């Protein structure tokens, strides 16, 4: 049994909230019934009581006048439930390239900007925030984590340092940071060419698990040099969806028998980090495309 890594996303939703006090709207700001920028789309807010999901009841003492900025809407089949719960507690301003029909009932405003373009997103949000108070920034999409942290830092909202989030989004940098602090991890290596990957796998010993440096795609198992070359080609040929910018290269790890253990951690302003669940994942036999069949169990704390 091994503890392969601490999961980089806390309950799949990383929230950067300025939660200790309300932020009054700056004097002279534009009201809700006006547009402050050509990229801002006004959406009348209606409590999202309809639809396939029912929002959580409003918590006592919670005000509905402090919008949160959400980077990326995601997909209805996967993310609508999460968005509905967020919208039940706060008005939501969405920053995304498009406004999905399914997300519209949960939003008060749409900023037409692609979160994958971090620099432009920061500029657009900063211009919006100059006239509209925002309580916090959040995202439930891994590829936008770094941008969300950068936005929160720029607006001086509470949240982790963007530099720390960048490390969490980079598997190689994360392994190096764990090793620096004497946290046990499986033997690993980085590679930036198919030949380099095969040579590193030979040194680690087979089987090895291969993961892209930053992209959120499944691990693949390699049992031979030929497998390594095939896997490397697959990973670097697939479309990139990264925390920041695509970084070529892969992470190779020695594959041990036994479950991989991940801790689901929630971090808030008011208390120490809390482990709320433990996930144990067992890798099965490799599939035809070298991906691993997996079985996971979740234990709540």
């Amino acid at each position: 049994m091994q503890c392969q890594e601490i999961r980089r996303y806390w309950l799949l939703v990383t929230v950067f909230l300025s939660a200790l006090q309300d932020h009054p709207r700056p004097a002279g700001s534009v009201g809700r019934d006006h547009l402050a920028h050509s990229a801002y789309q006004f959406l009348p807010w209606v409590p999202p009581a309809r639809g396939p999901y029912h929002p959580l009841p409003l918590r006592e003492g919670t005000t509905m006048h402090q919008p949160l900025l959400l980077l990326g809407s995601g997909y209805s089949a996967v993310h609508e439930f999460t968005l509905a719960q967020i919208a039940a507690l706060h008005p939501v301003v969405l920053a995304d390239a498009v406004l999905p029909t399914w997300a519209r009932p949960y939003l008060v405003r749409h900023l037409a900007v692609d979160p994958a373009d971090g620099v432009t997103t920061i500029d657009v949000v900063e211009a919006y925030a100059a006239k509209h108070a925002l309580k916090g920034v959040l995202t439930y999409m891994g590829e936008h984590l770094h941008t969300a942290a950068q936005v929160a830092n720029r607006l001086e909202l509470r949240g982790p340092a963007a530099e720390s989030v960048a490390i969490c989004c980079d598997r190689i940098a994360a392994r190096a940071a764990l090793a620096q602090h004497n946290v046990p991890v499986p033997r690993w290596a980085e590679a930036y060419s198919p030949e380099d990957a095969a040579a590193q796998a030979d040194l680690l010993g087979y089987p090895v698990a291969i993961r892209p440096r930053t992209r959120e795609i499944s691990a693949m198992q390699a049992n031979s040099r030929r497998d390594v070359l095939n896997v490397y080609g697959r990973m670097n040929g697939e479309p990139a969806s990264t925390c920041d910018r695509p970084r070529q290269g892969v992470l190779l790890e020695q594959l041990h028998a036994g479950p991989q253990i991940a801790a689901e951690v929630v971090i808030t302003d008011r208390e120490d980090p809390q482990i709320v669940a433990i996930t144990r994942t067992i890798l099965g036999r490799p599939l035809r495309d070298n991906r691993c069949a997996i079985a996971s169990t979740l234990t709540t704390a």
Side-chain angles (χ1 to χ4, degrees), residues 70-74 94-100 110-115 141 144:
L70 173 67
L71 298 188
S73 58
L94 172 67
D96 207 346
V98 297
L99 173 60
H110 171 228
L111 309 186
V113 63
D114 186 356
M141 303 184 69
H144 303 324

Side-chain angles (χ1 to χ4, degrees), residues 43-56:
L43 304 172
W45 184 79
V46 177
R50 296 179 299 173
Y53 302 115
H54 299 285
L56 294 171

Side-chain angles (χ1 to χ4, degrees), residues 68-294:
L68 299 177
L69 177 72
L70 173 67
L71 298 188
S73 58
Y75 306 95
S76 59
V78 179
H79 300 113
E80 185 171 1
F81 177 81
T82 301
L83 178 55
Q85 308 313 300
I86 297 170
L89 301 177
H90 292 278
V92 178
V93 176
L94 172 67
D96 207 346
V98 297
L99 173 60
T101 302
W102 66 266
R104 188 183 181 95
Y106 307 109
L107 307 174
V108 296
R109 192 159 294 180
H110 171 228
L111 309 186
V113 63
D114 186 356
D117 183 349
V119 174
T120 302
T121 298
I122 293 170
D123 291 341
V124 170
V125 172
E126 189 173 27
Y128 176 83
K131 297 183 176 180
H132 301 79
L134 290 172
K135 184 174 181 61
V137 185
L138 73 155
T139 185
Y140 40 63
M141 303 184 69
E143 59 264 35
H144 303 324
L145 281 171
H146 190 204
T147 300
Q150 289 177 307
V151 171
N153 292 175
R154 178 72 67 87
L155 299 181
E156 298 184 348
L157 299 172
R158 286 180 174 85
E163 295 79 6
S164 298
V165 174
I167 293 175
C168 292
C169 290
D170 184 330
R171 290 187 176 94
I172 292 174
R175 298 303 188 280
L178 291 173
Q180 181 181 356
H181 293 279
N182 299 316
V183 178
V185 295
R187 291 177 60 214
W188 61 275
E190 56 187 295
Y192 297 91
S193 70
E195 296 75 17
D196 186 22
Q200 295 292 349
D202 288 343
L203 293 175
L204 290 175
Y206 297 95
V208 295
I210 304 177
R211 296 175 173 84
R213 179 167 187 162
T214 56
R215 282 173 281 182
E216 289 304 310
I217 60 177
S218 301
M220 291 180 158
Q221 180 174 330
N223 298 309
S224 65
R225 288 179 62 92
R226 182 177 179 180
D227 285 349
V228 173
L229 297 175
N230 290 335
V231 168
Y232 190 97
R234 283 177 176 272
M235 286 191 171
N236 285 280
E238 294 185 5
S241 177
T242 71
C243 296
D244 190 5
R245 295 180 179 178
R247 300 194 66 176
Q248 294 296 323
V250 297
L251 169 74
L252 299 94
E253 283 187 312
Q254 199 173 35
L255 193 60
H256 293 282
Q260 300 174 5
I261 302 175
E264 305 282 2
V265 181
V266 172
I267 299 177
T268 69
D269 289 328
R270 300 188 176 100
E271 56 188 15
D272 294 332
Q274 300 293 309
I275 297 177
V276 297
I278 300 294
T279 302
R280 294 172 173 84
T281 301
I282 299 175
L283 296 179
R285 62 179 181 81
L287 304 178
R288 289 186 177 181
D289 61 356
N290 295 102
R291 286 180 168 82
C292 297
I294 63 172

Side-chain angles (χ1 to χ4, degrees), residues 33-58:
D33 54 343
H34 295 81
L35 299 181
H37 191 280
S38 60
Y40 308 161
Q41 180 175 352
F42 168 70
L43 304 172
W45 184 79
V46 177
R50 296 179 299 173
Y53 302 115
H54 299 285
L56 294 171
L58 186 63

